[in-house]
Amino acid sequence: MTDTKMTKRRLRSQDWFDNRDHVDMAAIYLERFMNYGITPEELRSGKPVIGIAQSGSDLTPCNRHHVDLARRVRDGIRDAGGIPIEFPTHPIFENCKRPTAALDRNLAYLGLVEILYGYPLDGVVLTTGCDKTTPSALMAASTVDIPAIVLSGGPMLDGWHDGDLVGSGTVIWRSRRKLAAGAIDEEEFLQAAMDSAPSIGHCNTMGTASTMNALAEALGMSLTGCAAIPAAYRERGQIAYRTGRRAVELVLEDIRPSHILTRQAFLNAIRVNSAIGGSTNAQPHLMAMAKHAGVALEPDDWQRYGYDIPLLADVQPAGRFLGERFHRAGGVPAIMRELLGAGKLDGSCPTVTGRTMAQNLEGRAASDREAIRSYDAPLKERAGFLVLKGNLFDFAIMKTSVISEEFRQRYLSEPGREGIFEGRAAVFDGSEDYHARINDPALGIDERTILVIRGAGPLGWPGSAEVVNMQPPDHLLRRGVTSLPTIGDGRQSGTADSPSILNASPESAAGGGLAWLRTGDIIRIDLEHGRCDMLVAEEEIEKRKADGIPAVPADATPWQRLYRRTVTQLSDGAVIDGAADFRRIAETPPRHNH
């Protein structure tokens, strides 16, 4: 890049640093940057100022290696003629943030919007990894609409325990069933979990972290092949460098998120999510990202465009392998290449590379047909989300790629009633209630029981919690019954292998149908017609409403109160009500501060 090319278009940062109409303000903006050694010549040169949105810290171990990767990003920015400025983002660590990391996605979004809008940045590298770091970053990038590119951190290396592959998260859900059944002790439980996390990086399964970074690539917001490179591989540092270089070029070419995040790009992402066996958390996150991008994405689009897509990635929890094998097989580009060849992908979508998606995918065929199947020989024919509705909720989803043959035979294969199941409900108000009573003999839980949890949505928890993948009581686990049908207004870990009905909207705390359900009621689940209903007379439901909505915990922090007052339902993305009114806000420079 030459300085001549860089000065063709006046950059946003020049309104701060090189403003001839307000020299006094330029002096204020420049003066304090000098105290760590940067020069006024750099900042006034008209070279693009590129922010590095640093999501790595000791509080976010899944993203912590971005602290080191940022050096390579800086190198790329400098070599392309830009000025790097690194800044922290709000930490979001899925495993440890209580009451749930989902509470902080919108908070991180707000913080990043204010940074990108209020500071002299021409473009930004969005460092992502752990579940909610990706959607919060892309939501903010859409709101502000300065040139942006995603650098994911990559998954951990494959985990091994006693000679077997153990995937992060997935091993927890499987081991807790073994622990309850008496097959392992607590030390074995802990050791298996520790063995699943052998290196830097986020989940090595196709959990929410890997899913959301894959979808960032599918949307066209990261360099081709970025999402699946393991965090510890040398290629991760190499793509960090190339991402830094490309960030500068995006500014010079004026390629912004609004040019890339179209409806067709989001439909591509829905299809990719099905093909990789992606997390159910993709639904609210992708809905939120679309809303902030001004893209009309409907809840039913998940079934209309994603349900018939086959499962191509043989990766836990829907398959056998982990992140390293998936990457070596070709990763996200190989999956998308299969979809493109089958006519299931819009290859004309623009991307941050400056090329179309179809051009990015040239020569990207899978190299390992065990880990990534061909479109014509998939693991499962239909792997997308089923969208359900009924008198319990207006919207919920079920991840079909994790329906095991044993589960299908037990619950969905009655002759003449295939895909239909009726069972007695056992209702729990939050996870504390579930853990306290799941083994209570008075509940009479058996193989025909449907476990229901409520008070777990955005308003109820607050923030929506990953608690719907409830395991059966111990006496059933000891008999080999490892899963029961489960329903809830919360979410489920993307690493879980339970075919739950979840993300129910409206939630119980908002007066949804789950609020009026009682233990002992019969629920009919009809997957063929997308229905889920309690078989209770309308008059009885109206009488129950007099009891009021089941209680939820009080606000514990100021942000929890603000969150509850502003959040929408999971069907809508659980966004801040009204925030999507703000788009492309960088087009109007902010007022001066003195």
Side-chain angles (χ1 to χ4, degrees):
M1 300 295 170
T2 65
D3 287 352
T4 302
K5 182 174 183 180
M6 291 182 192
T7 56
K8 284 183 178 178
R9 182 171 58 87
R10 184 169 172 82
L11 299 179
R12 187 171 182 267
S13 60
Q14 290 179 276
D15 196 55
W16 276 260
F17 299 135
D18 191 30
N19 192 328
R20 302 288 172 83
D21 296 327
H22 292 281
V23 174
D24 55 340
M25 298 307 306
I28 289 174
Y29 302 139
L30 281 164
E31 175 255 339
R32 209 50 58 92
F33 276 99
M34 302 302 103
N35 72 6
Y36 68 90
I38 199 166
T39 66
E41 299 88 64
E42 291 172 275
L43 294 178
R44 304 190 74 198
S45 65
K47 294 180 178 180
V49 176
I50 306 298
I52 303 171
Q54 179 56 266
S55 62
S57 73
D58 289 351
L59 273 181
T60 50
C62 295
N63 293 33
R64 193 180 183 282
H65 55 296
H66 275 304
V67 174
D68 296 321
L69 287 174
R71 289 197 286 270
R72 293 300 289 144
V73 177
R74 285 174 173 272
D75 291 342
I77 292 170
R78 282 287 182 183
D79 284 355
I83 311 295
I85 293 184
E86 187 176 347
F87 60 87
T89 62
H90 182 83
I92 317 179
F93 178 27
E94 187 65 34
N95 294 32
C96 278
K97 177 60 166 70
R98 295 159 65 174
T100 169
L103 192 67
D104 282 9
R105 188 201 66 183
N106 291 353
L107 185 58
Y109 154 77
L110 281 178
L112 187 52
V113 165
E114 292 300 318
I115 293 169
L116 298 183
Y117 174 68
Y119 284 92
L121 302 173
D122 299 306
V124 63
V125 174
L126 305 166
T127 65
T128 68
C130 192
D131 300 14
K132 293 161 186 69
T133 59
T134 307
S136 65
L138 284 171
M139 289 158 61
S142 288
T143 295
V144 182
D145 203 34
I146 62 174
I149 186 170
V150 169
L151 173 66
S152 56
M156 295 181 287
L157 300 178
D158 290 358
W160 294 89
H161 177 73
D162 289 342
D164 295 323
L165 278 172
V166 284
S168 47
T170 296
V171 71
I172 300 287
W173 317 125
R174 294 174 180 173
S175 294
R176 72 175 185 175
R177 294 194 289 259
K178 293 179 181 179
L179 181 68
I184 60 174
D185 60 25
E186 292 181 359
E187 284 303 315
E188 290 173 292
F189 187 125
L190 290 172
Q191 190 58 54
M194 300 308 107
D195 288 347
S196 73
S199 76
I200 58 172
H202 59 65
C203 289
N204 50 25
T205 46
M206 193 56 71
T208 307
S210 290
T211 296
M212 293 314 303
N213 288 290
L215 298 191
E217 184 174 329
L219 286 165
M221 287 300 297
S222 61
L223 295 182
T224 307
C226 177
I229 300 170
Y233 278 25
R234 66 181 182 187
E235 288 87 352
R236 181 52 65 188
Q238 291 168 344
I239 206 160
Y241 172 81
R242 291 173 185 134
T243 297
R245 288 193 65 94
R246 185 59 193 155
V248 175
E249 294 163 2
L250 287 172
V251 173
L252 299 177
E253 296 165 21
D254 194 25
I255 297 175
R256 291 172 276 127
S258 59
H259 302 146
I260 295 167
L261 296 176
T262 64
R263 176 169 166 80
Q264 286 307 314
F266 279 99
L267 296 183
N268 279 350
I270 286 176
R271 296 180 182 109
V272 169
N273 187 72
S274 299
I276 63 177
S279 166
T280 48
N281 286 313
Q283 178 265 317
H285 293 327
L286 214 62
M287 294 296 290
M289 289 153 57
K291 201 166 187 69
H292 286 288
V295 170
L297 202 62
E298 302 299 326
D300 285 344
D301 285 337
W302 287 91
Q303 184 160 333
R304 186 177 300 119
Y305 295 98
Y307 177 59
D308 289 331
I309 298 297
L311 178 63
L312 304 181
D314 195 349
V315 179
Q316 295 181 28
R320 298 173 293 166
F321 303 120
L322 295 172
E324 281 191 85
R325 183 83 179 261
F326 179 63
H327 165 65
R328 291 200 303 269
V332 177
I335 294 286
M336 297 186 76
R337 181 71 183 171
E338 287 295 322
L339 295 177
L340 183 68
K344 298 296 184 181
L345 200 76
D346 188 334
S348 68
C349 290
T351 73
V352 292
T353 68
R355 308 169 76 216
T356 66
M357 184 61 75
Q359 290 172 323
N360 289 344
L361 300 178
E362 291 173 4
R364 291 286 188 159
S367 59
D368 175 354
R369 284 305 183 184
E370 271 197 288
I372 296 178
R373 305 294 182 88
S374 70
Y375 191 91
D376 296 330
L379 276 78
K380 292 187 179 180
E381 292 290 341
R382 291 177 167 180
F385 298 161
L386 274 172
V387 175
L388 298 104
K389 58 190 67 175
N391 63 5
L392 286 171
F393 40 74
D394 296 335
F395 169 88
I397 57 172
M398 183 179 190
K399 181 176 176 179
T400 61
S401 63
V402 292
I403 298 177
S404 67
E405 189 56 35
E406 187 271 339
F407 188 92
R408 187 177 297 279
Q409 288 298 321
R410 185 186 296 274
Y411 299 113
L412 303 172
S413 299
E414 183 181 339
R417 290 167 56 86
E418 289 82 0
I420 299 174
F421 174 72
E422 291 183 10
R424 176 180 169 276
V427 183
F428 302 97
D429 287 302
S431 64
E432 295 88 352
D433 185 30
Y434 161 75
H435 288 296
R437 294 196 300 127
I438 184 60
N439 288 311
D440 185 350
L443 288 176
I445 297 174
D446 60 19
E447 293 93 329
R448 308 294 294 177
T449 300
I450 299 174
L451 304 181
V452 180
I453 192 166
R454 63 191 179 195
L459 293 173
W461 197 258
S464 75
E466 296 183 330
V467 293
V468 182
N469 52 318
M470 297 168 283
Q471 70 182 30
D474 294 355
H475 76 272
L476 289 182
L477 289 169
R478 286 192 288 268
R479 285 170 42 197
V481 179
T482 59
S483 62
L484 292 174
T486 57
I487 300 173
D489 55 11
R491 299 174 298 110
Q492 173 173 296
S493 170
T495 64
D497 55 2
S498 170
S500 306
I501 296 171
L502 65 166
N503 299 4
S505 306
E507 63 183 293
S508 170
L514 288 175
W516 323 122
L517 185 70
R518 302 291 183 263
T519 293
D521 289 344
I522 301 300
I523 296 174
R524 175 184 291 155
I525 300 169
D526 184 348
L527 300 186
E528 296 302 310
H529 296 92
R531 297 285 306 182
C532 184
D533 297 277
M534 53 178 161
L535 303 185
V536 178
E538 278 298 322
E539 310 85 72
E540 173 61 20
I541 293 174
E542 287 303 313
K543 280 200 287 186
R544 292 178 183 181
K545 290 182 179 180
D547 296 337
I549 292 171
V552 297
D555 299 324
T557 66
W559 170 240
Q560 288 188 18
R561 178 166 295 177
L562 288 169
Y563 179 89
R564 277 176 158 148
R565 288 177 177 176
T566 60
V567 73
T568 65
Q569 290 292 289
L570 286 171
S571 57
D572 188 53
V575 296
I576 297 170
D577 189 27
D581 296 342
F582 296 86
R583 294 206 305 276
R584 304 183 184 182
I585 62 175
E587 290 179 353
T588 302
R591 297 172 68 188
H592 290 292
N593 61 18
H594 283 76

